[in-house]
Amino acid sequence: MPIKGRFMNGTIVPIIAGNWKMNGLIEQLAEISNLDNMLEQMQHKAGHIIICPPATLLNMAKKCAKYGQISFGGQNCHWEERGAHTGDISAEMLADCGALYVILGHSERRMEHGETDEIVQKKVGAAFRAKLTPIICVGESEKERKANMAVEKVLSQIKNSLPSEAKNNKIIIAYEPIWAIGTGLVPTLDEIKEMHQKIREQLVNLFGEHGMQYPILYGGSMKPDNAKNILSIKNVNGGLVGGASLKTSEFIKIIKALDEI
Ligand code: PGA
């Protein structure tokens, strides 16, 4: 895929990923076919588009994207391949439904389901086993940001949530400050720049030159009106978008922001 603008000389293809969370019934699949049609019509080439719908829609969503302009991902998986884990879904099951990606360690899962870095690390290993690319979420709370602990927190999450096999696999990191998720608040551009730079350094510390290849997405109240500024920051290789990904009319504006960079 030819990559335009600022990303042309870099090896990282920018990514805009939509995280639908626990939203979406069968009728919302129309949003997927609309998006796929629009991307086809505008001959979109500036980056890679991913939607992570609820697992119940994954297989149908894949079929709705008939031009193949969208890749799909799950929002969570168990670390085991199969077995007595009522209500859980394995990475292999997501792959079987057409997923290529899986979001892991989202702060909502860390908070509502007590997922620790250790658990996230096991899940990342499961994603590799099923040949899924994990989108690993990290981010500080408001309290940690105010106490100047944000960088420390995020770097330790990265260190402890990634298994050593990450070196031989594709991974995507999503920096999502918890206080910015769904609130309309966003860090300043300088704060985002600083954090993404530190994350890049941490990835290089841990994985050598491989650490230069991993996309680092920003997430937390990314909207059409702030996307261009955020996506223009060095070491921001795309976005993980919650609320604004649910409506194609909004999401497409964020995708178009990539073309303007
Ligand atoms: P938001 O969510 O864009 O609605 O803030 C982002 C996320 O939680 O991935």
Side-chain angles (χ1 to χ4, degrees):
M1 178 191 297
I3 301 301
K4 294 167 59 176
R6 171 170 84 84
F7 296 103
M8 198 157 53
N9 300 321
T11 50
I12 301 181
V13 176
I15 293 167
I16 303 291
N19 172 13
W20 279 18
K21 311 192 180 188
M22 198 172 73
N23 296 293
L25 301 175
I26 289 171
E27 65 179 7
Q28 266 83 47
L29 289 172
E31 299 291 335
I32 305 265
S33 26
N34 280 345
L35 179 63
D36 185 53
N37 273 327
M38 278 178 157
L39 292 171
E40 177 69 12
Q41 269 166 32
M42 67 195 239
Q43 302 225 322
H44 168 76
K45 290 193 175 49
H48 202 69
I49 309 306
I50 303 169
I51 297 275
C52 302
T56 47
L57 295 183
L58 200 48
N59 192 243
M60 282 182 283
K62 169 107 175 109
K63 288 181 183 144
C64 284
K66 58 177 193 295
Y67 294 112
Q69 291 282 355
I70 309 168
S71 302
F72 292 93
Q75 300 176 10
N76 173 45
C77 69
H78 197 278
W79 57 85
E80 296 285 352
E81 189 176 339
R82 67 175 76 81
H85 304 285
T86 303
D88 271 312
I89 294 175
S90 70
E92 283 75 6
M93 290 169 178
L94 295 174
D96 191 40
C97 285
L100 296 176
Y101 299 86
V102 59
I103 297 173
L104 293 174
H106 191 283
S107 60
E108 286 151 16
R109 294 218 51 97
R110 290 178 186 263
M111 287 186 298
E112 293 176 18
H113 299 271
E115 288 191 9
T116 58
D117 288 340
E118 196 189 7
I119 292 174
V120 175
Q121 190 186 110
K122 288 205 283 183
K123 293 183 174 198
V124 172
F128 294 155
R129 189 186 63 220
K131 308 216 169 353
L132 298 178
T133 301
I135 302 173
I136 303 148
C137 302
V138 292
E140 81 285 0
S141 66
E142 188 180 13
K143 199 167 155 209
E144 287 158 343
R145 163 75 51 189
K146 286 194 170 138
N148 271 327
M149 302 280 289
V151 170
E152 197 180 313
K153 171 68 185 287
V154 165
L155 298 191
S156 94
Q157 281 182 318
I158 290 185
K159 184 158 186 272
N160 298 322
S161 303
L162 294 179
S164 53
E165 319 96 88
K167 193 168 184 170
N168 306 316
N169 287 278
K170 288 186 190 163
I171 58 167
I172 299 168
I173 301 290
Y175 167 56
E176 299 205 305
I178 299 170
W179 51 275
I181 295 177
T183 58
L185 301 172
V186 271
T188 64
L189 299 179
D190 281 344
E191 284 168 339
I192 298 176
K193 186 173 170 195
E194 186 204 5
M195 186 63 86
H196 280 244
Q197 172 68 32
K198 297 281 184 202
I199 293 173
R200 177 67 68 213
E201 286 166 16
Q202 176 74 321
L203 292 171
V204 171
N205 281 342
L206 293 169
F207 304 111
E209 63 184 40
H210 296 273
M212 292 300 291
Q213 310 294 325
Y214 303 137
I216 308 171
L217 313 185
Y218 170 79
S221 296
M222 186 179 270
K223 306 278 179 217
D225 61 356
N226 60 24
K228 187 178 169 192
N229 284 342
I230 296 174
L231 293 168
S232 303
I233 299 171
K234 187 162 181 228
N235 284 311
V236 173
N237 309 115
L240 180 57
V241 184
S245 71
L246 294 171
K247 288 264 162 264
T248 294
S249 52
E250 289 287 285
F251 194 48
I252 198 80
K253 291 181 193 155
I254 296 180
I255 294 170
K256 281 184 178 164
L258 275 185
D259 289 316
E260 292 168 21
I261 295 170

